[in-house]
PDB file of all heavy atoms in Angstrom:
ATOM      1  N   THR E  29      53.005 -52.324 -14.189  1.00 49.00           N
ATOM      2  CA  THR E  29      54.401 -51.909 -14.251  1.00 49.00           C
ATOM      3  C   THR E  29      55.316 -53.051 -13.831  1.00 49.00           C
ATOM      4  O   THR E  29      54.878 -54.072 -13.322  1.00 49.00           O
ATOM      5  CB  THR E  29      54.638 -50.727 -13.281  1.00 49.00           C
ATOM      6  OG1 THR E  29      54.415 -51.204 -11.953  1.00 49.00           O
ATOM      7  CG2 THR E  29      53.722 -49.565 -13.595  1.00 49.00           C
ATOM      8  N   LEU E  30      56.619 -52.847 -14.028  1.00 53.00           N
ATOM      9  CA  LEU E  30      57.612 -53.854 -13.664  1.00 53.00           C
ATOM     10  C   LEU E  30      57.601 -54.104 -12.164  1.00 53.00           C
ATOM     11  O   LEU E  30      57.741 -55.249 -11.723  1.00 53.00           O
ATOM     12  CB  LEU E  30      59.004 -53.389 -14.115  1.00 53.00           C
ATOM     13  CG  LEU E  30      60.147 -54.374 -13.956  1.00 53.00           C
ATOM     14  CD1 LEU E  30      59.832 -55.660 -14.721  1.00 53.00           C
ATOM     15  CD2 LEU E  30      61.442 -53.775 -14.462  1.00 53.00           C
ATOM     16  N   ASP E  31      57.374 -53.057 -11.359  1.00 62.00           N
ATOM     17  CA  ASP E  31      57.319 -53.241  -9.906  1.00 62.00           C
ATOM     18  C   ASP E  31      56.195 -54.201  -9.523  1.00 62.00           C
ATOM     19  O   ASP E  31      56.366 -55.067  -8.679  1.00 62.00           O
ATOM     20  CB  ASP E  31      57.109 -51.896  -9.189  1.00 62.00           C
ATOM     21  CG  ASP E  31      58.356 -51.028  -9.228  1.00 62.00           C
ATOM     22  OD1 ASP E  31      59.443 -51.584  -9.499  1.00 62.00           O
ATOM     23  OD2 ASP E  31      58.234 -49.821  -8.990  1.00 62.00           O
ATOM     24  N   ALA E  32      55.053 -54.038 -10.137  1.00 62.00           N
ATOM     25  CA  ALA E  32      53.930 -54.928  -9.836  1.00 62.00           C
ATOM     26  C   ALA E  32      54.247 -56.354 -10.272  1.00 62.00           C
ATOM     27  O   ALA E  32      53.903 -57.318  -9.581  1.00 62.00           O
ATOM     28  CB  ALA E  32      52.663 -54.434 -10.525  1.00 62.00           C
ATOM     29  N   ALA E  33      54.924 -56.503 -11.414  1.00 63.00           N
ATOM     30  CA  ALA E  33      55.306 -57.837 -11.885  1.00 63.00           C
ATOM     31  C   ALA E  33      56.282 -58.481 -10.907  1.00 63.00           C
ATOM     32  O   ALA E  33      56.153 -59.659 -10.576  1.00 63.00           O
ATOM     33  CB  ALA E  33      55.927 -57.749 -13.279  1.00 63.00           C
ATOM     34  N   ASN E  34      57.258 -57.709 -10.434  1.00 69.00           N
ATOM     35  CA  ASN E  34      58.222 -58.232  -9.456  1.00 69.00           C
ATOM     36  C   ASN E  34      57.534 -58.609  -8.155  1.00 69.00           C
ATOM     37  O   ASN E  34      57.850 -59.623  -7.540  1.00 69.00           O
ATOM     38  CB  ASN E  34      59.337 -57.209  -9.188  1.00 69.00           C
ATOM     39  CG  ASN E  34      60.273 -57.056 -10.367  1.00 69.00           C
ATOM     40  OD1 ASN E  34      60.352 -57.943 -11.218  1.00 69.00           O
ATOM     41  ND2 ASN E  34      60.968 -55.934 -10.431  1.00 69.00           N
ATOM     42  N   ARG E  35      56.587 -57.760  -7.736  1.00 71.00           N
ATOM     43  CA  ARG E  35      55.846 -58.040  -6.509  1.00 71.00           C
ATOM     44  C   ARG E  35      55.017 -59.324  -6.679  1.00 71.00           C
ATOM     45  O   ARG E  35      54.979 -60.169  -5.799  1.00 71.00           O
ATOM     46  CB  ARG E  35      54.944 -56.847  -6.157  1.00 71.00           C
ATOM     47  CG  ARG E  35      54.304 -56.957  -4.783  1.00 71.00           C
ATOM     48  CD  ARG E  35      53.629 -55.659  -4.334  1.00 71.00           C
ATOM     49  NE  ARG E  35      52.715 -55.102  -5.327  1.00 71.00           N
ATOM     50  CZ  ARG E  35      52.935 -53.960  -5.995  1.00 71.00           C
ATOM     51  NH1 ARG E  35      54.030 -53.264  -5.796  1.00 71.00           N
ATOM     52  NH2 ARG E  35      52.049 -53.529  -6.873  1.00 71.00           N
ATOM     53  N   GLY E  36      54.394 -59.491  -7.861  1.00 74.00           N
ATOM     54  CA  GLY E  36      53.612 -60.695  -8.138  1.00 74.00           C
ATOM     55  C   GLY E  36      54.485 -61.941  -8.134  1.00 74.00           C
ATOM     56  O   GLY E  36      54.095 -62.979  -7.590  1.00 74.00           O
ATOM     57  N   ALA E  37      55.683 -61.834  -8.716  1.00 78.00           N
ATOM     58  CA  ALA E  37      56.599 -62.984  -8.737  1.00 78.00           C
ATOM     59  C   ALA E  37      57.057 -63.328  -7.323  1.00 78.00           C
ATOM     60  O   ALA E  37      57.152 -64.510  -6.966  1.00 78.00           O
ATOM     61  CB  ALA E  37      57.800 -62.683  -9.628  1.00 78.00           C
ATOM     62  N   ALA E  38      57.320 -62.315  -6.514  1.00 80.00           N
ATOM     63  CA  ALA E  38      57.739 -62.553  -5.128  1.00 80.00           C
ATOM     64  C   ALA E  38      56.611 -63.198  -4.329  1.00 80.00           C
ATOM     65  O   ALA E  38      56.848 -64.124  -3.542  1.00 80.00           O
ATOM     66  CB  ALA E  38      58.170 -61.240  -4.473  1.00 80.00           C
ATOM     67  N   GLU E  39      55.384 -62.720  -4.547  1.00 82.00           N
ATOM     68  CA  GLU E  39      54.231 -63.316  -3.854  1.00 82.00           C
ATOM     69  C   GLU E  39      54.048 -64.770  -4.270  1.00 82.00           C
ATOM     70  O   GLU E  39      53.744 -65.627  -3.442  1.00 82.00           O
ATOM     71  CB  GLU E  39      52.961 -62.508  -4.154  1.00 82.00           C
ATOM     72  CG  GLU E  39      52.937 -61.157  -3.464  1.00 82.00           C
ATOM     73  CD  GLU E  39      51.786 -60.285  -3.924  1.00 82.00           C
ATOM     74  OE1 GLU E  39      50.998 -60.729  -4.796  1.00 82.00           O
ATOM     75  OE2 GLU E  39      51.680 -59.153  -3.430  1.00 82.00           O
ATOM     76  N   ARG E  41      56.433 -66.813  -5.346  1.00 81.00           N
ATOM     77  CA  ARG E  41      57.524 -67.574  -4.701  1.00 81.00           C
ATOM     78  C   ARG E  41      57.197 -67.857  -3.243  1.00 81.00           C
ATOM     79  O   ARG E  41      57.382 -68.968  -2.760  1.00 81.00           O
ATOM     80  CB  ARG E  41      58.845 -66.812  -4.802  1.00 81.00           C
ATOM     81  CG  ARG E  41      59.665 -67.150  -6.020  1.00 81.00           C
ATOM     82  CD  ARG E  41      61.081 -66.634  -5.893  1.00 81.00           C
ATOM     83  NE  ARG E  41      61.174 -65.257  -5.419  1.00 81.00           N
ATOM     84  CZ  ARG E  41      61.084 -64.182  -6.194  1.00 81.00           C
ATOM     85  NH1 ARG E  41      60.877 -64.312  -7.482  1.00 81.00           N
ATOM     86  NH2 ARG E  41      61.183 -62.981  -5.687  1.00 81.00           N
TER      87      ARG E  41
END
Side-chain angles (χ1 to χ4, degrees):
T29 64
L30 186 58
D31 288 342
N34 289 339
R35 189 169 51 248
E39 288 171 0
R41 269 194 314 275

